[in-house]
Amino acid sequence: MTNNAPALTSAKEVPCMLLPMDEHTLLVPTTTVAEMSSVQPLAPIENAPEWLMGLYEWRGIQVPVFSIEALNGGEARLNASGRIAVLNNTGASADLPFIAIHTQGIPRMARVADEDISEDDGNERRPFDMMAVKVGLEEFYIPDVTAIEQAYLNFVSSNGV
């Protein structure tokens, strides 16, 4: 008798979200993403830098929305067909339970196996990227969520928001 069951592999796969930006795609573990939602009007923040797009009303709290492009020296652009990726905090401050990133398109799911991902030495890491990586032949950036949170906390403390 033969066993037709699929072979179990020892490769560990991490479920991830691919978040499209203007010129690249972010790769984040799904455990980082609290929710994906459609673009909604954002409440403006007085004297906010370009990278801080506004506040998003989500589950009864105001969540700051960031432009990764602007944080990394590009231009902020609100794309109505994009999405808002609400991210869990990393523990930078209990006063900031969530942050959000505006995507430039519709995110998609991916499963990334340990042996399929490698650091991409050919792409320069930008200020708010933790790492540039390759998954197979595709290039992605892993955002530095803690640095994004800290940028917001610095803005709040210096502006009395």
Side-chain angles (χ1 to χ4, degrees), residues 41-149:
L42 303 176
I45 301 171
E46 192 173 320
N47 300 320
E50 183 181 12
W51 49 261
L52 184 53
M53 301 178 83
L55 295 172
Y56 172 63
E57 176 74 30
W58 181 71
R59 297 186 182 182
I61 60 172
Q62 296 289 314
V63 178
V65 178
F66 299 88
S67 164
I68 292 291
E69 293 89 350
L71 277 166
N72 283 318
E75 290 184 30
R77 182 173 67 87
L78 186 62
N79 180 348
S81 64
R83 297 292 184 267
I84 302 278
V86 179
L87 307 180
N88 295 307
N89 85 358
T90 62
S93 171
D95 296 331
L96 186 61
F98 302 97
I99 65 167
I101 294 174
H102 177 267
T103 72
Q104 296 300 325
I106 298 172
R108 61 188 169 100
M109 297 285 295
R111 295 189 74 77
V112 178
D114 286 344
E115 69 269 6
D116 293 337
I117 190 168
S118 61
E119 189 164 357
D120 185 358
D121 297 326
N123 277 329
E124 184 177 330
R125 186 176 71 86
R126 298 161 312 170
F128 289 87
D129 294 329
M130 184 176 291
M131 185 183 299
V133 296
K134 280 190 176 184
V135 177
L137 298 175
E138 294 186 83
E139 298 174 345
F140 303 105
Y141 288 92
I142 298 173
D144 189 341
V145 177
T146 303
I148 296 168
E149 291 171 342

Side-chain angles (χ1 to χ4, degrees), residues 8-52:
L8 296 176
T9 63
S10 61
K12 181 181 177 192
E13 287 188 336
V14 176
C16 295
M17 294 288 300
L18 303 176
L19 307 177
M21 299 292 125
D22 271 338
E23 296 178 10
H24 62 281
T25 301
L26 300 179
L27 175 71
V28 296
T30 56
T31 57
T32 302
V33 181
E35 188 171 299
M36 295 297 310
S37 61
S38 59
V39 173
Q40 303 291 323
L42 303 176
I45 301 171
E46 192 173 320
N47 300 320
E50 183 181 12
W51 49 261
L52 184 53

